[in-house]
Amino acid sequence: MDVLSDVIAIMRSGRPRSARVAWHGPWGQRFPSVPGSAGFQVVLQGSCWLIPPTGDPVALGVGDVVFFPHGHGYGLADSPAASLAEPACDPMEDTELFVSDFVGRSGPVTVTLCGGYQLDPARAHPLLRDLPEVIHLPARVGRHPELRAAVDLLGAEVDRPGLGADTLVLALLDMLLVYILRAWFADRPAGSQAAGWSAALADPAVNAALHAIHQDPAGPWTVQTLADRARLSRAAFSKRFTALTGQPPLTYLTWWRLAVAARMLRESDAQLGAVATRVGYTSEFAFANAFKREYGLAPGRYRRQGGEAVSASAAT
């Protein structure tokens, strides 16, 4: 498993949602903050303006993708000076996987594809916390063809759903999230960030250690064995890993093991002893103590409550 795939699998919950909206000018729409979610907007036809909570409006054209990884509010409008109406489209509140709608009946038309993913703040990977409030991926010829293909396919399927549309839209929404994050990491200028997860994943030594941890969380890892994977001395590896990820190697290892355990508790009926072994604990008692420190609940209670954890700080 690569790190990005693991991060998405751990943080996602519920089903994503999407909506295709045809906006007839003049128009302006407010999209409120939705904690525990991430959203996107894609311009399929026409043009519009992104109105961020702070800063200047941003012009958007056909093919532009805007991603909001922390669920912060924003506005879209046909002009930077337009007044913003209250929400008409909030895919996270709709019970349907995808909907198609329109606003207004005359005037120039802009068509957008909006959508959202449910995230669990209790499982937020530090990689996601490094992302900016808004990720804007302008359409450029020859850049990120996979992202463009996913956008085209998703827009067409939401516009004209056929047999198997639910399965296709779910798969395409998952693909879109991966392609958005991949494109953002790829577009980071070399040397633009001295620390953070984008730098960690781009660093061959640290990425090798992260890959080892994610591939085998139960492995008997030590700082030295991870340093060997990174082909660095123990001291150099520990310093680099901590500087880029914000956590010492074994701290991250423990966090990831417990994140994997939490997912197993939510999604399987494996015995607690089997879960403990799967994530590298030789004792069910030691696993339970570590899990409670991180999630505020014993593993069995966490499972019975459907994966609803309390913060460690609130539990102490």
Side-chain angles (χ1 to χ4, degrees):
M1 293 289 285
D2 69 273
V3 177
L4 183 57
S5 296
D6 276 352
V7 168
I8 292 171
I10 286 292
M11 71 180 185
R12 283 279 308 281
S13 65
R15 293 205 313 171
R17 300 285 188 271
S18 61
R20 181 187 181 277
V21 183
W23 308 90
H24 295 262
W27 63 277
Q29 183 70 57
R30 188 186 312 281
F31 292 82
S33 176
V34 183
S37 73
F40 67 85
Q41 291 279 357
V42 183
V43 182
L44 300 179
Q45 176 184 331
S47 62
C48 61
W49 290 81
L50 169 67
I51 315 296
T54 60
D56 296 330
V58 179
L60 303 177
V62 173
D64 279 16
V65 177
V66 188
F67 183 57
F68 309 91
H70 308 297
H72 295 164
Y74 60 94
L76 284 184
D78 64 343
S79 111
S83 59
L84 302 179
E86 291 307 307
C89 160
D90 183 356
M92 297 312 295
E93 293 296 327
D94 202 293
T95 58
E96 297 295 326
L97 173 61
F98 56 93
V99 296
S100 190
D101 203 354
F102 65 91
V103 176
R105 296 183 179 275
S106 61
V109 178
T110 296
V111 179
T112 63
L113 181 68
C114 66
Y117 305 90
Q118 294 178 346
L119 310 179
D120 186 341
R123 310 176 217 159
H125 191 280
L127 183 154
L128 273 297
R129 292 196 289 267
D130 270 2
L131 297 178
E133 290 188 15
V134 179
I135 293 175
H136 178 206
L137 300 170
R140 296 191 184 113
V141 175
R143 290 293 293 166
H144 311 305
E146 300 91 350
L147 173 61
R148 305 302 158 197
V151 166
D152 290 344
L153 289 168
L154 182 57
E157 199 60 45
V158 172
D159 186 31
R160 299 178 299 278
L163 293 174
D166 278 16
T167 299
L168 283 173
V169 169
L170 272 175
L172 288 166
L173 285 168
D174 285 340
M175 287 171 57
L176 187 65
L177 178 58
V178 175
Y179 285 139
I180 287 172
L181 294 174
R182 182 189 286 180
W184 184 79
F185 284 120
D187 283 350
R188 301 297 293 162
S192 66
Q193 192 171 350
W197 277 82
S198 61
L201 294 179
D203 183 280
V206 173
N207 192 42
L210 288 168
H211 181 76
I213 290 171
H214 282 247
Q215 187 177 43
D216 183 16
W221 300 113
T222 65
V223 175
Q224 184 60 62
T225 57
L226 290 171
D228 292 342
R229 288 295 184 100
R231 301 187 180 221
L232 293 173
S233 70
R234 186 180 186 280
F237 164 71
S238 184
K239 181 178 179 180
R240 185 181 297 187
F241 189 102
T242 303
L244 293 181
T245 69
Q247 294 177 302
L250 297 189
T251 300
Y252 178 76
L253 171 64
T254 298
W255 183 88
W256 180 248
R257 283 174 167 173
L258 296 174
V260 172
R263 185 183 181 194
M264 291 183 68
L265 291 169
R266 291 190 307 272
E267 299 179 2
S268 80
D269 58 0
Q271 299 273 330
L272 294 186
V275 175
T277 301
R278 172 69 180 81
V279 296
Y281 286 86
T282 57
S283 157
E284 188 176 322
F285 177 76
F287 164 66
N289 283 340
F291 190 91
K292 187 171 183 179
R293 282 195 301 271
E294 180 66 30
Y295 286 88
L297 295 172
R301 186 177 173 193
Y302 177 86
R303 169 177 274 168
R304 289 192 297 273
Q305 293 187 188
E308 294 293 328
V310 299
S311 67
S313 59
T316 56

